[in-house]
Amino acid sequence: MIVFKGVTKRFKRTAALHDASFRVEKGSMAGLIGPNGSGKTTSLKLMLGLLRRDSGEIEILGHDPWMEGEVVRAFTGFLPESPIYPRNIRVSQLLGHVARLKYASRFDVSRIARLVGIERYMEHQVSALSRGYLQRLGLAIALLGDPEILLLDEPTANLDPKARIEILRLVSILKRDLGATIIISSHILPELQQVIDSAILIARGKVVDYGSIDYLASKYGARIVYAVYTRNPRTLMKRLVDVDYVRGVVERGEYVEVHIDPLAGEEFLRLVDSLGGDLASRVEVRSGYLGEIYERAIAT
Ligand SMILES: Nc1ncnc2c1ncn2[C@@H]1O[C@H](COP(=O)(O)OP(=O)(O)OP(=O)(O)O)[C@@H](O)[C@H]1O
Ligand SMILES: [Mg+2]
């Protein structure tokens, strides 16, 4: 478990983090969510023991990262916000060095290279990699040594939409396969909501709220909105109003707008599928719930 209790971190007069408290359960994938300058990177660096807090308590799997930084960093993988890699070195050499530092084997290097999809680039110079592949290299470095905790600072920044989705899909697979506890910072909410199961919401250095998506969504009454295209809106609406996770249906001409509980998304899509093309020809997500949760949480 990762625990912050009343943590404050100041840089001169600015409090980058002020009296921040939250916890992240073991094995979960938490989003660290907030706009630019809200304290995301500062929080991650405090977790790694790279910064010293001014007050409060931090516990990473039972260790204090400032007092026991080496211990914490040994079981934690980190993808920094703007990593700097030596450029005139081959990918395989760089990963080999990191593997030695983390007591990982040559076999681990090829397994992880395959996992993040850079095996074809192993003999390329680091300087020849595109941004997307540099990001994969960063993930590979973070993953070497099979960390119990993975801290990813804006892993999709500067990537094209296709690469962003690939990286997030990769992170989900990693969570499933490695069972690590993952914290992923971002301000791009629609894509983050596809992978996280809990969130820490921060604004101007303060933790506004935190918890499972289930808890946050019901506390702030957030919904997913779908548009279901149909030739027969009335019949479709009759079919949907009594479904227990459907919170509202609105006729919009060629489609019906359906508001549902956030975690019922997959179930809803299966239901729509089963209705057949006459009743539901196409379905689109209209809005996400993570942005809604964030807006409502900071407004209260
Ligand atoms: N080394 C530093 N010296 C002085 N101020 C700093 C330092 N690092 C961070 N800050 C300040 O602390 C606040 C929080 O910064 P932080 O980098 O944690 O934000 P962030 O949420 O990661 O933002 P971004 O989304 O832009 O990466 C900002 O006001 C920033 O200017
Ligand atoms: Mg940052």
Side-chain angles (χ1 to χ4, degrees), residues 40-41 81 153-154:
K40 302 183 294 295
T41 299
E81 191 165 40
D153 201 354
E154 311 238 12

Side-chain angles (χ1 to χ4, degrees), residues 70-101:
E70 304 242 317
V71 178
V72 170
R73 288 189 290 275
F75 62 66
T76 304
F78 179 43
L79 176 70
E81 191 165 40
S82 12
I84 297 166
Y85 304 117
R87 297 177 64 78
N88 296 317
I89 181 174
R90 279 177 287 117
V91 170
S92 60
Q93 285 175 301
L94 179 54
L95 290 177
H97 285 312
V98 176
R100 275 191 292 283
L101 288 172

Side-chain angles (χ1 to χ4, degrees), residues 65-284:
W66 184 253
M67 302 305 290
E68 302 166 85
E70 304 242 317
V71 178
V72 170
R73 288 189 290 275
F75 62 66
T76 304
F78 179 43
L79 176 70
E81 191 165 40
S82 12
I84 297 166
Y85 304 117
R87 297 177 64 78
N88 296 317
I89 181 174
R90 279 177 287 117
V91 170
S92 60
Q93 285 175 301
L94 179 54
L95 290 177
H97 285 312
V98 176
R100 275 191 292 283
L101 288 172
K102 296 197 187 178
Y103 305 106
S105 66
R106 199 184 285 217
F107 173 74
D108 292 324
V109 171
S110 42
R111 176 173 57 90
I112 282 166
R114 211 171 325 118
L115 201 61
V116 305
I118 50 167
E119 70 274 44
R120 282 187 297 129
Y121 294 86
M122 289 301 270
E123 298 318 314
H124 283 55
Q125 296 287 114
V126 171
S127 56
L129 295 181
S130 68
R131 271 181 205 255
Y133 280 90
L134 274 176
Q135 204 73 335
R136 286 165 201 261
L137 173 62
L139 266 181
I141 290 171
L143 287 170
L144 273 169
D146 291 327
E148 288 176 68
I149 293 184
L150 199 52
L151 306 178
L152 308 175
D153 201 354
E154 311 238 12
T156 61
N158 301 319
L159 298 183
D160 65 42
K162 187 160 162 276
R164 307 164 94 97
I165 290 168
E166 273 179 33
I167 293 282
L168 285 176
R169 197 170 292 152
L170 184 60
V171 173
S172 304
I173 292 169
L174 293 174
K175 173 174 183 277
R176 203 191 56 208
D177 292 359
L178 308 178
T181 306
I182 304 178
I183 299 188
I184 168 167
S185 95
S186 183
H187 51 256
I188 306 158
L189 306 187
E191 60 180 32
L192 200 60
Q193 83 181 22
Q194 300 171 28
V195 297
I196 59 175
D197 53 35
S198 57
I200 303 153
L201 311 174
I202 62 175
R204 278 177 266 109
K206 295 197 174 139
V207 172
V208 184
D209 210 341
Y210 71 94
S212 69
I213 294 297
D214 217 359
Y215 159 81
L216 292 169
S218 78
K219 178 168 175 182
Y220 296 105
R223 307 276 179 244
I224 321 183
V225 180
Y226 285 100
V228 185
Y229 287 81
T230 180
R231 264 179 256 154
N232 209 335
R234 287 297 153 88
T235 316
L236 177 63
M237 285 166 77
K238 273 204 202 109
R239 268 309 301 272
L240 294 176
V241 279
D242 291 332
V243 176
D244 58 0
Y245 53 79
V246 172
R247 298 288 163 218
V249 286
V250 187
E251 192 181 336
R252 298 273 187 216
E254 58 172 352
Y255 66 90
V256 170
E257 194 177 283
V258 188
H259 299 236
I260 72 161
D261 288 342
L263 296 180
E266 280 182 34
E267 206 175 327
F268 177 70
L269 294 177
R270 273 199 302 276
L271 171 69
V272 171
D273 231 22
S274 74
L275 294 176
D278 266 0
L279 209 48
S281 54
R282 185 158 57 90
V283 58
E284 285 173 3

